[in-house]
Amino acid sequence: MKKLTVKTALDNYPVLIGVDVFNFLPQLIEERNLPKRFFVIVDENVFKHFSSIINKNLNPFGTKISFIILKASEKSKSLKTLQRLYTILSEKNFGRDTLIVAIGGGTLGDIAGFAASTYMRGVPLIHIPTTLLSCVDSSIGGKTAVNFKDAKNLIGTFYQPEAVLIDLNFLETVPRKEIISGLGEVVKYSYLTNGDFYEELLSKSNKLIKKDLDYLSRVIYECAKIKAAVISKDEKEISGVRKILNFGHTFAHAFESNSSYKISHGKAVLAGIISAIYLSRKKELISDNQLKRMVELPLKFKSFINLKDFDEKKLFNLMSYDKKRKDEKIKFVLIKNFGEILVDLEAQRKEIHCALKKTREVLI
Ligand code: GLY
């Protein structure tokens, strides 16, 4: 088992990574003196495969447990789903002595986190991510959200969990297409450090595509380490350090929204990274040679991205609604070099159109 620590203003919390780390849950609940009334929000598929192990780790406490089985999707990341959770919590008389345990992928974690941060002004939360995307990104760092109207993650909070348990057993039953969907965030991390991780992923991209679990466990640890370090420096995206994690995301959110969330977040991030690299070139932050090297990795996964053709004007308008918008200008996270990410950069409408046009040329 490997352990990372996320340092935050209120508390530090552990991220445990390994096979069977779920079995540490009872010990963790005792150590951190957490409530023993459990509201378990669990993904439908995960529950199908792992209900006995989930019960085994929660039943010893012999207190109140409610299981809410969710078929989470980007569409269900809504106020309506939240209302359903609040209704069950209140009807079953869950009080402030409740521990919410979120077992599932990124969308489930986002909704569960939002419910935990708001129900009775906040109850403790443990994340048990079960998809590649949630293991490497969304379960760490305390972002919670629901989508509203056309805008992704428009309503949300920062709310750090008590712990994150990344049990690699869960990945065994995750379909390969789900792993591919998580690759966008994995690839993103490889631009945030000196380039070694990028080269490694480039040479081992086949292992990722084939869902090699041994290699995935190394990749998850590497990504979680980068994420934990960034969050420890800038928990609430105040100093700007955390914004580097949004590399490719301004474009990605627009691709997702434009497809009515039919394209998965991870795949949209792959496309968004390509657009951000072209925009970086357009703004002369990188040379042609750097561009060529930087697009090589996301393009390895080109056949999986399935981006439908798009209208630049519509995408531009969607980006204007992005939550990172300030003073009517869209802000981008762009790249100058590996490990040198620039945040809050503005771009002219024509530069954005040009980056989108290049993205279309290489992807569609
Ligand atoms: N996924 C970006 C962040 O956690 O800040």
Side-chain angles (χ1 to χ4, degrees), residues 175-244:
R176 202 173 68 111
K177 83 173 192 333
E178 201 63 59
I179 301 287
I180 303 285
S181 283
L183 290 183
E185 297 292 353
V186 170
V187 167
K188 173 194 81 182
Y189 286 110
S190 72
Y191 297 92
L192 310 188
T193 50
N194 64 10
D196 291 350
F197 188 38
Y198 181 91
E199 291 303 331
E200 180 189 317
L201 292 179
L202 204 53
S203 65
K204 303 217 161 118
S205 60
N206 263 342
K207 284 186 188 270
L208 294 171
I209 292 169
K210 287 191 181 137
K211 196 186 151 186
D212 176 327
L213 287 176
D214 284 342
Y215 186 57
L216 276 174
S217 75
R218 161 166 164 71
V219 163
I220 289 170
Y221 175 70
E222 208 51 42
C223 296
K225 194 169 76 178
I226 300 171
K227 176 112 193 207
V230 170
I231 303 305
S232 300
K233 283 190 201 136
D234 180 20
E235 181 188 341
K236 294 198 174 165
E237 217 166 276
I238 291 169
S239 70
V241 174
R242 185 169 180 163
K243 286 183 183 166
I244 65 172

Side-chain angles (χ1 to χ4, degrees), residues 40-60:
V40 185
I41 307 175
V42 55
D43 175 85
E44 191 184 38
N45 262 331
V46 174
F47 198 64
K48 227 183 271 165
H49 289 104
F50 296 100
S51 58
S52 61
I53 175 168
I54 293 171
N55 275 310
K56 185 187 111 202
N57 281 302
L58 292 173
N59 279 338

Side-chain angles (χ1 to χ4, degrees), residues 43 46 72 102-110 127-131 133-134 138:
D43 175 85
V46 174
I103 311 178
T107 50
L108 183 142
D110 280 3
H127 276 302
I128 303 181
T130 60
T131 60
L133 187 139
S134 56
S138 57

Side-chain angles (χ1 to χ4, degrees), residues 248-255 257 275 279 310-326 328-332 349 352-353 355-356:
H249 280 58
T250 306
F251 287 105
H253 288 172
F255 288 132
S257 186
S275 303
L279 186 56
F310 52 81
D311 170 41
E312 277 106 10
K313 203 162 142 219
K314 184 163 175 226
L315 277 195
F316 182 85
N317 289 339
L318 287 168
M319 273 186 262
S320 305
Y321 280 110
D322 189 279
K323 66 187 182 309
K324 289 177 279 299
R325 181 187 56 154
K326 279 188 191 137
E328 301 305 316
K329 296 265 192 317
I330 311 167
K331 304 277 168 106
F332 291 90
R349 192 178 179 129
I352 299 169
H353 278 221
L356 287 169

